[in-house]
Amino acid sequence: MRWSTLPNLTKIVGSAVGLPEGVTPTNHDAASNAPTNQLWQRLMTSTVVLTWACAVWAALGGRWATGECVDMSVGGTTLLVPGNAVLTLLLPLHHSHNCLQLSLTEVQVVEAARLAVQKVNEQGILPGVSLGLRVVDTCGLPTYSAKMAAVAWLEDSLVCPQPALTLGILGPSDAASASFVATRVKALGVPVLAYAPRPITATPAIDLLLPAPAHTAQAAVHVLSGVGVSAVSVVHTDDAEGEALAKHFVSSAEYWYLCVAVTVAGSDGSMVAEALRGGPGTVVVVGSRHKVIGLARDLEHASDIIDLLLVMEGGPLPEGELKGLTIPTIILQRRPIVLPDFLRFLHRDLSSDDEFRRQYLSTVAQCDACTDDYFGYDASVPTTISAVLSFVSALQVAHKAECGASSDMCPSLYNLEVADWEDLLLTVPPNITTFPELAKTSFQIGDKDTPHYTVSILQHGNFTQVGQADMSSAVLGKVVIPEPRCGSPCSCLTRDQTSFTSSAAANITQSSSGFNIFSGSNWWSWDLPVTGGTNHGEMAVYMTAFCFVLIIFLTSGMICTYNILKPPPRD
């Protein structure tokens, strides 16, 4: 337990569980209360618990009202692997408004973290240290995520016979929850690290891969151009992720002369359908995970005004997620690195403590399209394993520096500040010896996200893979879609006309302004300009430049021909 953080504990836990700011259960001074032995640690633990156990009891049902020590499985823990250095995984294992829908992708994240912890312990990578894992289902709620992060820290501190070290927090996956958690647990000395690429940056949390929403937007634009779509409407979730992706999509569409007629924000597709009436028949749905699928399903009743949907989803999307959707739908899914060890671990023999994995495998078994080719597994699997291994590497270095030759958890490890852990996470590469396949792709913290997508289409009840896409191009097979219609009228948005519902999105890189005589192609390529979207001014500039180059070419040719045909001079 980090005793230097006790003066800040009340504000953090109080804000998470509802205590008024300023209520101070303890005034221990950081310098005078550093632990010297196990007895002193346990006395301090008892003092802290007795002084504000009532507040914790109110939030957690009185589990700690009596006794000095508690079982690590209390609280909101869904899964627990005991250890003396514990990682807490915060993720929305369930979603929807009542938190009852099991998230198939998050089940894979849980199993990936469990496999990584198991391999680290089996191979003895941390001599004298057992790596533990606590999984907490947050239902995607920022305030609940922050509360459970503080509760996890306290649970580790009350473990008998010796407190466990809260090594760090993995997740949450959305930037809003991650920022909320990181801000409130920073004083506890607990770093927060993403287990998957987020749509936008979360501060002060650490991103395993730096978000690049522009790359996702460009991939979607390439797919739409490849299937012959020239005009779209955009529907995005009413959060920072949705707003950021929508802005990047509009910017990319403008550069490639794809008409964006209208952008609409909302959490309920039935509420935004009216705004799409009279617009293009193609609708792009972007935003945060799971909410995107809900929006797409809600738009089903608007099939009279929508001919084609394009859904940008970060993880695998079995047909069950879009059950009943009759509108032809193009789906972009991230392509992961295949780890054979994980596939074998995921499909291992079922046991009594694998309730969620049983539900997952049952759902996949009932899905005709949930095969390794079309469904595969979530791209968060390798990044989750890499995040766990990053903490392992950081702990290896810290243990050697603080404990020397000792194989036990020395007291000074518990007093490391969050800045020290963050420096180690940012500078020490992950120990990937347990998963050689990860050596093929770098997941070094701070690398920029370069996603690659599988393009699939759901049409007439059939889920079919039709190609691949990334930020630079799309390679598509035979895709039969309804004739794209522009809508009447199709007045495309410009950057100045675009209106969004929130200003919380991250800064984006704007496309170039002014004349673009290349009309969507690049000066270094042989791509032909897309003249259908150029205005009169750009066409005039383009034709002037073309005529100027043609005159130079003809003049040079005539001069060369004259020099070749003229008689040689007499000497």
Side-chain angles (χ1 to χ4, degrees):
M1 181 173 184
R2 298 182 187 85
W3 304 105
S4 60
T5 64
L6 285 176
N8 301 310
L9 180 61
T10 302
K11 177 185 288 187
I12 297 163
V13 179
S15 63
V17 302
L19 287 177
E21 187 170 347
V23 175
T24 308
T26 181
N27 299 339
H28 294 295
D29 179 75
S32 62
N33 290 300
T36 57
N37 52 51
Q38 292 297 323
L39 178 60
W40 183 245
Q41 285 186 349
R42 298 176 75 174
L43 286 173
M44 291 290 291
T45 299
S46 301
T47 302
V48 174
V49 173
L50 290 174
T51 52
W52 58 285
C54 292
V56 177
W57 180 88
L60 302 176
R63 294 186 179 93
W64 299 331
T66 61
E68 179 183 87
C69 304
V70 295
D71 188 344
M72 286 182 66
S73 62
V74 302
T77 301
T78 298
L79 168 72
L80 178 71
V81 178
N84 54 15
V86 183
L87 285 170
T88 295
L89 176 60
L90 302 176
L91 79 170
L93 193 56
H94 291 83
H95 63 281
S96 75
H97 69 281
N98 52 8
C99 196
L100 293 178
Q101 179 68 41
L102 179 65
S103 304
L104 299 183
T105 52
E106 269 63 32
V107 172
Q108 297 186 33
V109 172
V110 171
E111 295 299 317
R114 185 195 293 198
L115 175 61
V117 169
Q118 177 179 305
K119 282 205 167 192
V120 168
N121 289 331
E122 288 178 349
Q123 299 182 13
I125 295 178
L126 298 169
V129 178
S130 59
L131 187 62
L133 175 67
R134 176 190 292 103
V135 178
V136 178
D137 187 359
T138 67
C139 295
L141 303 174
T143 53
Y144 185 72
S145 300
K147 183 184 88 169
M148 295 314 301
V151 167
W153 183 90
L154 187 59
E155 285 182 5
D156 292 341
S157 302
L158 299 179
V159 172
C160 289
Q162 178 180 348
L165 170 66
T166 303
L167 191 56
I169 294 173
L170 294 177
S173 57
D174 63 292
S177 296
S179 299
F180 200 74
V181 169
T183 301
R184 281 153 179 77
V185 302
K186 186 173 184 180
L188 298 178
V190 181
V192 178
L193 176 65
Y195 61 78
R198 299 187 180 101
I200 59 175
T201 300
T203 55
I206 301 174
D207 289 293
L208 182 69
L209 295 174
L210 296 180
H215 295 173
T216 300
Q218 290 168 18
V221 170
H222 288 309
V223 171
L224 290 170
S225 298
V227 298
V229 172
S230 60
V232 300
S233 295
V234 177
V235 177
H236 66 86
T237 56
D238 55 351
D239 49 28
E241 283 88 350
E243 184 179 345
L245 286 171
K247 283 191 174 183
H248 280 285
F249 182 87
V250 172
S251 180
S252 297
E254 180 189 45
Y255 181 78
W256 291 99
Y257 289 92
L258 174 67
C259 168
V260 179
V262 64
T263 61
V264 186
S267 57
D268 184 357
S270 60
M271 301 294 291
V272 302
E274 192 60 31
L276 303 176
R277 191 170 300 278
T282 302
V283 175
V284 178
V285 186
V286 299
S288 55
R289 205 167 194 169
H290 305 305
K291 294 182 181 179
V292 169
I293 307 305
L295 276 175
R297 282 198 301 261
D298 289 344
L299 291 172
E300 167 64 19
H301 76 284
S303 57
D304 58 324
I305 60 175
I306 300 176
D307 300 324
L308 179 68
L309 286 175
L310 183 138
V311 177
M312 294 156 59
E313 167 66 3
L317 185 65
E319 60 186 6
E321 294 280 338
L322 293 175
K323 185 177 180 180
L325 187 62
T326 58
I327 301 175
T329 304
I330 297 177
I331 304 160
L332 270 66
Q333 304 166 269
R334 290 183 68 106
R335 293 195 344 242
I337 299 173
V338 176
L339 301 177
D341 285 351
F342 172 75
L343 285 177
R344 288 190 292 269
F345 184 77
L346 185 64
H347 293 83
R348 68 191 184 278
D349 292 338
L350 294 174
S351 59
S352 59
D353 62 343
D354 287 321
E355 174 188 353
F356 298 116
R357 190 165 58 87
R358 281 201 304 271
Q359 295 181 42
Y360 165 83
L361 294 176
S362 175
T363 303
V364 172
Q366 298 173 13
C367 172
D368 295 335
C370 298
T371 64
D372 288 342
D373 292 334
Y374 298 143
F375 178 63
Y377 60 89
D378 189 25
S380 298
V381 166
T383 54
T384 299
I385 293 174
S386 295
V388 172
L389 298 181
S390 294
F391 276 108
V392 171
S393 298
L395 182 56
Q396 280 181 309
V397 174
H399 188 276
K400 183 177 180 180
E402 298 293 329
C403 307
S406 173
S407 61
D408 296 327
M409 296 281 287
C410 56
S412 57
L413 271 179
Y414 295 82
N415 293 326
L416 283 181
E417 299 293 337
V418 64
D420 299 326
W421 287 114
E422 289 177 346
D423 288 342
L424 290 172
L425 289 171
L426 292 170
T427 56
V428 180
N431 188 333
I432 59 175
T433 55
T434 53
F435 294 90
E437 296 88 353
L438 291 179
K440 301 176 184 178
T441 301
S442 171
F443 285 121
Q444 178 71 33
I445 293 175
D447 290 345
K448 196 168 187 178
D449 187 21
T450 54
H452 300 272
Y453 295 92
T454 295
V455 183
S456 303
I457 186 167
L458 178 64
Q459 192 171 24
H460 307 304
N462 298 319
F463 193 83
T464 311
Q465 183 176 321
V466 295
Q468 299 176 354
D470 57 27
M471 61 176 290
S472 60
S473 64
V475 179
L476 304 176
K478 185 177 180 180
V479 185
V480 180
I481 63 171
E483 183 69 24
R485 58 185 174 89
C486 178
S488 178
C490 182
S491 56
C492 295
L493 292 176
T494 65
R495 199 161 38 241
D496 295 335
Q497 294 172 329
T498 306
S499 175
F500 294 91
T501 59
S502 172
S503 59
N507 292 330
I508 66 172
T509 302
Q510 300 284 4
S511 62
S512 59
S513 58
F515 290 128
N516 178 8
I517 64 173
F518 298 104
S519 302
S521 63
N522 299 306
W523 64 268
W524 58 85
S525 71
W526 292 97
D527 296 336
L528 292 176
V530 184
T531 58
T534 54
N535 57 40
H536 294 297
E538 288 175 336
M539 282 298 297
V541 173
Y542 179 79
M543 293 304 299
T544 301
F546 176 78
C547 292
F548 181 71
V549 172
L550 182 63
I551 291 173
I552 293 177
F553 175 77
L554 293 176
T555 303
S556 300
M558 293 173 61
I559 293 174
C560 291
T561 303
Y562 171 75
N563 288 331
I564 292 174
L565 298 179
K566 72 177 182 179
R570 296 184 179 223
D571 226 359

